[in-house]
């Protein structure tokens, strides 16, 4: 069983920054790609970013490209999401998840383990 625990959410002003962390249990962390998704009230869960097993490949939603950076530290079993230039529309619960596909996907159906989520609120 894999457990994913997110942290780092909070309240930030527009234009500010936050760094989210996702700590994973188990010995297979480095064998899987990892992703971040987010969900706002009344909206479907949407893809944010994905990183390959080694960290050498990344994928971003157009809405966050150039502002968010996904990274991982396999020695610490942790994946990160650095969020800069935050906007009110970035307000959501952010989830990390394990990608069970070989080639990487933006679809939530391709992810098999999920964290409990961390709230990010961007407001003045």
């Amino acid at each position: 069983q894999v457990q994913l625990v997110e942290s780092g959410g909070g309240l930030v002003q527009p234009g500010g920054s936050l760094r989210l962390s996702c700590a994973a249990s188990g010995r297979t962390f480095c064998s899987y790609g990892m992703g971040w998704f987010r969900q706002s009230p009344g909206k479907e869960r949407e893809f944010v970013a994905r990183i390959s097993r080694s960290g050498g490949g990344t994928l971003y939603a157009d809405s966050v490209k150039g502002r968010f950076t996904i990274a991982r530290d396999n020695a610490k079993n942790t994946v990160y999401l650095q969020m800069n230039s935050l906007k009110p529309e970035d307000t959501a619960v952010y989830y990390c998840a394990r990608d069970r596909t070989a080639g990487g996907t933006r679809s939530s159906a391709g992810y098999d383990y999920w964290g409990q989520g961390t709230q990010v609120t961007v407001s003045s």
Side-chain angles (χ1 to χ4, degrees), residues 12-58:
V12 63
Q13 292 186 344
S17 298
L18 281 175
R19 188 178 81 156
L20 306 183
S21 299
C22 172
S25 65
R27 300 180 179 180
T28 62
F29 178 76
C30 61
S31 299
Y32 293 87
M34 296 293 295
W36 285 96
F37 288 76
R38 65 187 182 185
Q39 188 167 20
S40 304
K43 294 186 178 180
E44 292 187 357
R45 190 169 297 188
E46 65 172 347
F47 171 79
V48 175
R50 189 259 183 194
I51 190 166
S52 64
R53 293 176 296 177
S54 66
T58 57

Side-chain angles (χ1 to χ4, degrees), residues 9-18 67-68 83-91 120-124:
L11 173 64
V12 63
Q13 292 186 344
S17 298
L18 281 175
R67 299 188 297 123
F68 291 10
M83 305 185 296
N84 298 329
S85 302
L86 282 161
K87 304 175 182 180
E89 51 263 44
D90 294 318
T91 296
V120 171
T121 302
V122 185
S123 175
S124 55

Side-chain angles (χ1 to χ4, degrees), residues 32-33 37 50 97-102 104-114:
Y32 293 87
F37 288 76
R50 189 259 183 194
R98 191 180 79 168
D99 184 356
R100 62 182 176 87
T101 70
T105 179
R106 296 171 183 260
S107 171
S108 61
Y111 294 77
D112 54 1
Y113 288 96
W114 295 79

Side-chain angles (χ1 to χ4, degrees), residues 62-100:
D62 288 344
S63 59
V64 307
K65 198 174 295 183
R67 299 188 297 123
F68 291 10
T69 302
I70 188 171
R72 67 189 296 162
D73 185 337
N74 285 342
K76 295 182 178 180
N77 276 19
T78 302
V79 61
Y80 305 96
L81 185 68
Q82 177 67 43
M83 305 185 296
N84 298 329
S85 302
L86 282 161
K87 304 175 182 180
E89 51 263 44
D90 294 318
T91 296
V93 177
Y94 284 71
Y95 300 89
C96 69
R98 191 180 79 168
D99 184 356
R100 62 182 176 87

